[in-house]
Amino acid sequence: MFAAYATRFDRDQPLSGLELGERPEPDARPGWTVVNVKAASINHHDLWSLQGVGLSEESLPMILGCDAAGVDADGNEVVVHSVIGQSGHGVGPREPRSILTERYQGTFAERVAVPAWNVLPKPKELSFEQAACLPTAWLTAYRMLFSNANVRPGDAVLVQGAGGGVATAAIALGKAAGLRILATSRDAAKRARAVELGAEEAFEPGARLPHRVDAVIETVGAATWSHSVKSLKPGGTLVISGATSGSSPKSAELNRIFFLELKVVGSTMGSKEELAGLLSFCAATGVRPVIDSVLPLDQAREGLQKMAGGDLFGKVVLTV
């Protein structure tokens, strides 16, 4: 079957290790199912895999891709939950959780095998391309907002780094849930897009906000950390799921954190139950993933280049 896969690691030029070509068919072991992939979306995780983050040389070659929507062996339209081992189903109770492409071959292929437990029905209201955007970036944003920030309709939320997949998802989901969203971006066009998507206002990074917020959705890391902490109301919550600009801010703002009794919560991906909730939320409210571009699988290199260059707003989707 045709696939996009990593053959070696390069921290400086990750795409040099990407190959497009034939790979063996997936193995449908007991308790697993094979999904015919219709659409898969690109995440930063795929670039990190090409850099060797979370992968060993012994794992290569590794088909990339965490997210997919497609059709299972029984003809059902499905969405793949990409966290393997979370429940023990299909792998055994002692296996630690991992994301597709870390231990098991990924979704940038004509077919992918996953534990049957990891497959959810695709709502008829969502296209395959839309559904394929949800299991990583959008699930991460959903968990950050509604499980970890614990915000309610009417609360104010700052989303750092508008344009990225998680940040874009947080703006759209927050707007649909009745939150007052503020956003930041270095790019004027992305700030304008953030407002179109539902943010009340969008600012340059570090700008003084019109008011403090109940929660901050942080994926940028070092470059925005101080601003995120200073933007919170007393007792507010900073939820962080990534650090694309680095993990060591110049100031940790510890005095402000303890004096104002701020909460800092780490967040990674989400559960199968949260993904089911996200799918239902999108179907019921009409909110849809923001798709930057749709490319055929054989143009995976171009899609990953867009991700690496940051020249996107929303998700890049690969179709099979």
Side-chain angles (χ1 to χ4, degrees):
M1 66 174 182
F2 187 80
Y5 55 99
T7 58
R8 64 184 180 87
F9 306 134
D10 190 319
R11 291 192 174 274
D12 298 323
Q13 299 182 22
L15 292 178
S16 66
L18 176 69
E19 295 289 342
L20 303 175
E22 294 297 313
R23 295 299 302 150
E25 291 285 342
D27 178 23
R29 67 189 76 183
W32 287 53
T33 186
V34 173
V35 174
N36 291 292
V37 177
K38 296 294 186 182
S41 67
I42 296 176
N43 294 286
H44 274 288
H45 187 272
D46 301 307
L47 288 174
W48 296 332
S49 295
L50 288 163
Q51 293 175 318
V53 179
L55 273 179
S56 63
E57 294 283 352
E58 293 74 24
S59 301
L60 299 177
M62 175 63 73
I63 298 174
L64 300 173
C66 303
D67 297 345
V71 178
D72 68 11
D74 297 321
N76 303 304
E77 296 185 353
V78 298
V79 180
V80 173
H81 177 50
S82 62
V83 183
I84 309 298
Q86 193 171 54
S87 65
H89 285 80
V91 297
R94 295 185 179 180
E95 179 170 322
R97 70 176 183 175
S98 64
I99 301 173
L100 281 176
T101 74
E102 292 178 342
R103 288 172 176 262
Y104 302 104
Q105 301 291 326
T107 61
F108 292 175
E110 293 178 289
R111 283 166 290 281
V112 63
V114 295
W117 183 88
N118 283 70
V119 170
L120 294 89
K122 180 183 78 66
K124 65 181 187 302
E125 293 87 352
L126 300 177
S127 69
F128 286 111
E129 291 83 359
Q130 292 167 340
C133 297
L134 300 179
T136 296
W138 278 66
L139 178 59
T140 297
Y142 184 89
R143 180 178 178 84
M144 292 176 79
L145 281 170
F146 306 125
S147 298
N148 289 329
N150 198 29
V151 286
R152 301 174 181 177
D155 284 351
V157 177
L158 171 63
V159 178
Q160 297 279 23
V166 174
T168 302
I171 295 170
L173 290 169
K175 171 64 175 178
L179 301 173
R180 301 180 60 196
I181 301 293
L182 303 178
T184 67
S185 176
R186 293 176 297 175
D187 185 271
K190 291 181 179 180
R191 293 196 295 271
R193 289 288 302 278
V195 172
E196 292 175 6
L197 192 58
E200 289 187 355
E201 295 183 78
F203 306 87
E204 293 184 2
R208 184 179 182 87
L209 303 181
H211 54 80
R212 290 188 179 179
V213 297
D214 299 283
V216 176
I217 300 302
E218 174 65 83
T219 59
V220 179
T224 55
W225 180 262
S226 182
H227 183 244
S228 292
V229 174
K230 293 175 180 178
S231 297
L232 284 167
K233 296 177 180 177
T237 303
L238 192 162
V239 185
I240 179 168
S241 69
T244 56
S245 68
S247 58
S248 301
K250 291 181 179 179
S251 173
E253 303 292 347
L254 296 182
N255 289 345
R256 187 178 294 268
I257 289 172
F258 72 71
F259 187 73
L260 296 180
E261 297 187 316
L262 305 178
K263 294 178 283 293
V264 177
V265 181
S267 189
T268 299
M269 293 289 288
S271 68
K272 178 185 175 182
E273 291 73 23
E274 287 167 324
L275 178 55
L278 171 60
L279 289 165
S280 179
F281 184 86
C282 289
T285 62
V287 65
R288 297 291 183 267
V290 179
I291 296 177
D292 176 271
S293 52
V294 178
L295 301 170
L297 179 59
D298 61 8
Q299 293 182 26
R301 185 178 302 275
E302 288 82 349
L304 285 160
Q305 285 172 336
K306 286 179 70 73
M307 174 69 74
D311 183 26
L312 47 74
F313 191 94
K315 299 290 289 178
V316 177
V317 178
L318 303 175
T319 55
V320 179

